[in-house]
Amino acid sequence: MAGKHELHEKGLRLTPQRELVLSAVRSLGHATPEEVAEKVRETHPGINLSTVYRNLETLQNVGLVLHTHLGHGGATYHAAEELTHLHLVCGTCGSVGDAPIEAAANFVNVLADDYGFKTDVTHFAVYGTCAACVKP
Amino acid sequence: MAGKHELHEKGLRLTPQRELVLSAVRSLGHATPEEVAEKVRETHPGINLSTVYRNLETLQNVGLVLHTHLGHGGATYHAAEELTHLHLVCGTCGSVGDAPIEAAANFVNVLADDYGFKTDVTHFAVYGTCAACVKP
DNA sequence: AGCGAGTTGCGAGTTATTCGCAGTTACTAT
DNA sequence: ATAGTAACTGCGAATAACTCGCAACTCGCT
Ligand SMILES: [Mn+2]
Ligand SMILES: [Mn+2]
Ligand SMILES: [Zn+2]
Ligand SMILES: [Zn+2]
């Protein structure tokens, strides 16, 4: 009667690689596929990068992880339960700050009311200039 | 006393390729580098893709064009004077809608007041689900 | 006309991601 | 427990989207 493993509950096989990818994403907060691979290699040195990519996609399909776009390049992955903030990326210094989703509540409502658009404010970063760079 | 060409005013040389890249961006509205190249090739078939990339960057450096990120892939370019709207990209059907920048006015103010962050709402798209896809 | 820095075309090099396939492994059904 | 099978993995190759190095050309200046 022990509960099923969360991966089994999602209909996925439990492999060491998959489990390690998931816990790497959880422990890293934000991470690129490359960073996830590095983390996983601490305990499972042989993991292939394509296995990481495939598992990130699989885990995303079942809703355990998701990705955001913080810059011009590739996506960064988050644990699903942890994505509760906006990303503020500074075009000048490159820093990535966080802000609570509530900061966008009014914006989300405007888009819903006026355009029928249901917004996910976390998927793309918010771009601009951070406080430190705005000041001279 | 005839006015200088706008490219000369920006300190750039006027080459056929550069002028064509700029007018392609202007006539296309949104365009990827590949699409710009295609457009330019209508009148200048030999243009090399790297010339397009280099000119897009050069034109961006002097403020005549700029880019936004509409999806997972590469950037899309806009004429600077034309970027007066938000992009609403639908994750379900892939459509890209527009909304006036004013829709984000309150959001921009909140980020400025609470975080000192000066937001450029056009650089990254707004992601979500369009009205057509929200409805069953 | 003549010069020199800026620009172009081209081929090669990167980087990030995806794919095909053969061998392995996790679950399932005896 | 055992065997069957579909899922999964590693690996190497392929693709996509740029980026770079360099020799040839050309724009703007004198
Ligand atoms: Mn950008
Ligand atoms: Mn995405
Ligand atoms: Zn900054
Ligand atoms: Zn849609």
Side-chain angles (χ1 to χ4, degrees), chain B residues 23-41:
Chain B
S23 66
V25 170
R26 285 179 173 157
S27 77
L28 290 170
H30 300 149
T32 62
E34 197 67 58
E35 290 163 344
V36 170
E38 257 169 59
K39 179 78 180 174
V40 172
R41 287 193 182 118

Side-chain angles (χ1 to χ4, degrees), chain A residues 56-116:
Chain A
L56 287 171
E57 192 182 351
T58 301
L59 293 169
Q60 185 170 252
N61 288 340
V62 299
L64 289 170
V65 312
L66 32 79
H67 72 267
T68 65
H69 301 274
L70 300 185
H72 303 193
T76 69
Y77 288 80
H78 279 74
E81 66 273 15
E82 192 261 334
L83 194 49
T84 53
H85 54 278
L86 304 176
H87 296 103
L88 306 181
V89 345
C90 176
T92 304
C93 70
S95 67
V96 180
D98 288 356
I101 296 194
E102 297 82 55
N106 172 82
F107 180 46
V108 169
N109 287 336
V110 169
L111 293 180
D113 295 348
D114 294 1
Y115 302 92

Side-chain angles (χ1 to χ4, degrees), chain A residues 6-134:
Chain A
E6 63 183 325
L7 291 176
H8 287 162
E9 278 174 350
K10 299 292 187 176
L12 299 178
R13 287 197 184 172
L14 193 171
T15 67
Q17 291 91 334
R18 180 164 294 163
E19 202 172 17
L20 287 165
V21 166
L22 178 55
S23 67
V25 170
R26 285 178 172 158
S27 77
L28 290 170
H30 300 150
T32 62
E34 196 67 58
E35 290 164 345
V36 170
E38 257 169 56
K39 179 77 179 176
V40 172
R41 288 194 180 114
E42 291 175 7
T43 50
H44 189 104
I47 196 171
N48 192 274
L49 192 50
S50 42
T51 300
V52 172
Y53 274 99
R54 286 187 284 225
N55 275 317
L56 287 171
E57 192 182 351
T58 301
L59 293 169
Q60 185 170 252
N61 288 340
V62 299
L64 289 170
V65 312
L66 32 79
H67 72 267
T68 65
H69 301 274
L70 300 185
H72 303 193
T76 69
Y77 288 80
H78 279 74
E81 66 273 15
E82 192 261 334
L83 194 49
T84 53
H85 54 278
L86 304 176
H87 296 103
L88 306 181
V89 345
C90 176
T92 304
C93 70
S95 67
V96 180
D98 288 356
I101 296 194
E102 297 82 55
N106 172 82
F107 180 46
V108 169
N109 287 336
V110 169
L111 293 180
D113 295 348
D114 294 1
Y115 302 92
F117 190 84
K118 189 167 163 299
T119 305
D120 168 9
V121 279
T122 66
H123 192 81
F124 283 111
V126 178
Y127 186 85
T129 313
C130 73
C133 290
V134 168

